[in-house]
Amino acid sequence: MSASSPANIIIAYLGPPSSYTHQATVDSFRAPKYTLRDELSIRDVFDAVQSSSASFGVVPFENSSNGAVLHTLDLLIDREEAFPDIHICGEVFMDVQHCLLGYVSQSFSSDNKDLQSSGSSGSATPTSSIPFPKEPRSKPMTDLRHVKRIYSHPQAFGQCEAFLSTYLKGVERHEVSSTSKAATIVAEDRDKSGAEAAISSRLAADVHHLAVLAKGVQDVEDNTTRFLIIQRGPVCHDIQNLLPEKFQMTNGFRLKKKALIAFNIDHGTQGALANALLVFKKHSLNLTSINSRPSRIRPWHYIFLVEVEGEREFDDPDLLHLALQELDTVTEGNKWLGCWVDRFGVNAGQ
Ligand SMILES: O=C(O)C(=O)Cc1ccccc1
């Protein structure tokens, strides 16, 4: 069935169900108008949208404490030209409170009252490179000595360093495609020995019938992830009307918008990167972030991604075209990755 029938608009998201991406998607695209379809990887979400088997896709993009989701950046810059039509058309911010999920070990349960006997002092060991390790924000609710392997998405590991290096130091880490995938793997641990645990969400604990061994294990309290909504083709107002109301431009010429542009430069030309950035200044476009990824054509050569914001001027397509035209003259190539309404300060669920 075509994904574009207005009665049944298919939304592909990074699953399995109970991932943070799923939670961000549910918040933005509600039944019965939208049918949500989980995909196994971020690439599968891009594939679904590029092939039109889904109208929109939702993928994690950036975390407030741990930075960009590199896999999403790589798919956006699209070195292999597999996703020429993918554009960003929206964003969702979501507070992320990670939990350690698994099983309470029967063999250690008698020690539960005294968690200090789990072998950890509650502080990470100082080393010469990190003499004052960051204190974890939370303590385990049960003994963790039985945990031998932890599963999660690399972003989640990066957001929980203090807890992991204090209470699960040296425990094998397995990077998987999403936090809910991690919960699925742990739930499949047939003998329930408790050797496996996942960094995942509270919702995933309920969905996969896992115990919460610790909550709020991320390094910072205010831990927000930004998700992108992608679509096939450049954003146009007709398609905006398919989005839930809160993503629509009720007043298209007043709402603040953002855009993402990727470009590559001749690294041998002095000032090439500065010249590219100056184009945005010249056209009154405020740059809010810059990321780079290896070009994979030549070592130490990069593709840059810049995010720009603007108020009224930015809504003027001529101005935008002018900036992009000028960018053509100072870059070796550039790609327009879409433009969307700035949702900063509006978290999922609100
Ligand atoms: O959506 C998920 O569950 C992911 O694995 C991506 C992710 C990881 C960490 C924080 C937010 C999203």
Side-chain angles (χ1 to χ4, degrees):
M1 192 187 77
S2 155
S4 57
S5 149
N8 189 13
I9 300 162
I10 294 175
I11 317 295
Y13 69 89
L14 171 65
S18 82
S19 64
Y20 292 108
T21 314
H22 184 206
Q23 295 169 51
T25 308
V26 167
D27 177 78
S28 315
F29 297 96
R30 291 181 194 270
K33 188 168 178 191
Y34 301 101
T35 301
L36 308 194
R37 194 177 72 208
D38 63 301
E39 303 287 346
L40 266 178
S41 68
I42 301 176
R43 174 177 281 274
D44 290 341
V45 176
F46 274 66
D47 270 331
V49 177
Q50 176 64 38
S51 67
S52 295
S53 81
S55 296
F56 296 100
V58 184
V59 292
F61 181 54
E62 183 183 20
N63 177 265
S64 55
S65 65
N66 197 47
V69 178
L70 302 183
H71 196 192
T72 300
L73 292 185
D74 284 339
L75 292 165
L76 285 169
I77 64 176
D78 190 24
R79 297 179 190 89
E80 301 147 17
E81 299 184 18
F83 306 112
D85 304 311
I86 296 289
H87 289 85
I88 303 158
C89 61
E91 67 181 8
V92 191
F93 287 87
M94 198 177 108
D95 287 335
V96 167
Q97 302 286 315
H98 291 299
C99 297
L100 182 73
L101 310 183
Y103 300 96
V104 176
S105 164
Q106 295 314 314
S107 15
F108 294 121
S109 58
S110 54
D111 294 348
N112 283 356
K113 288 196 195 80
D114 179 10
L115 293 178
Q116 299 307 323
S117 69
S118 65
S120 169
S121 64
S123 308
T125 315
T127 60
S128 51
S129 58
I130 312 176
F132 304 106
K134 206 169 176 319
E135 294 277 320
R137 291 181 47 257
S138 65
K139 286 191 169 137
M141 294 149 74
T142 179
D143 198 298
L144 299 181
R145 275 178 287 179
H146 54 292
V147 176
K148 305 288 179 241
R149 292 176 293 282
I150 320 168
Y151 294 82
S152 202
H153 187 275
Q155 260 288 337
F157 282 132
Q159 293 163 31
C160 302
E161 267 312 323
F163 182 90
L164 293 174
S165 57
T166 304
Y167 295 109
L168 291 161
K169 190 171 162 54
V171 172
E172 249 177 55
R173 293 186 195 177
H174 294 259
E175 294 188 353
V176 294
S177 54
S178 74
T179 57
S180 53
K181 178 69 188 174
T184 314
I185 292 169
V186 174
E188 281 165 1
D189 177 10
R190 290 196 197 287
D191 60 4
K192 313 285 183 243
S193 66
E196 303 190 325
I199 303 279
S200 195
S201 64
R202 177 70 247 203
L203 177 70
D206 295 342
V207 169
H208 299 284
H209 310 291
L210 293 170
V212 176
L213 309 179
K215 30 184 183 192
V217 298
Q218 72 282 354
D219 293 347
V220 294
E221 163 97 56
D222 181 10
N223 188 46
T224 304
T225 296
R226 177 152 68 128
F227 299 85
L228 296 179
I229 303 173
I230 56 172
Q231 65 166 57
R232 192 188 160 128
V235 179
C236 69
H237 290 266
D238 290 349
I239 288 179
Q240 283 277 350
N241 290 337
L242 289 175
L243 287 169
E245 252 166 49
K246 66 186 201 175
F247 295 106
Q248 288 177 24
M249 293 180 283
T250 47
N251 178 356
F253 292 94
R254 288 285 176 268
L255 287 177
K256 192 153 110 182
K257 289 200 274 170
K258 300 183 205 166
L260 194 70
I261 297 158
F263 62 82
N264 55 349
I265 49 164
D266 174 7
H267 282 51
T269 304
Q270 207 168 27
L273 177 57
N275 287 339
L277 300 181
L278 275 175
V279 169
F280 298 97
K281 182 177 182 208
K282 186 172 159 193
H283 292 277
S284 310
L285 296 168
N286 189 32
L287 288 182
T288 54
S289 82
I290 179 162
N291 275 290
S292 63
R293 297 294 298 143
S295 72
R296 293 193 192 157
I297 293 172
R298 280 182 66 184
W300 317 115
H301 278 224
Y302 301 93
I303 296 172
F304 298 93
L305 293 107
V306 290
E307 194 169 350
V308 298
E309 66 170 12
E311 301 278 353
R312 283 191 59 202
E313 298 92 332
F314 188 59
D315 288 319
D316 180 344
D318 291 331
L319 183 65
L320 202 54
H321 276 116
L322 284 178
L324 287 171
Q325 270 168 12
E326 194 168 334
L327 202 61
D328 281 342
T329 66
V330 292
T331 60
E332 288 198 324
N334 56 71
K335 188 179 179 202
W336 170 249
L337 288 168
C339 171
W340 64 96
V341 174
D342 183 349
R343 303 285 308 165
F344 179 69
V346 185
N347 281 328
Q350 293 175 334

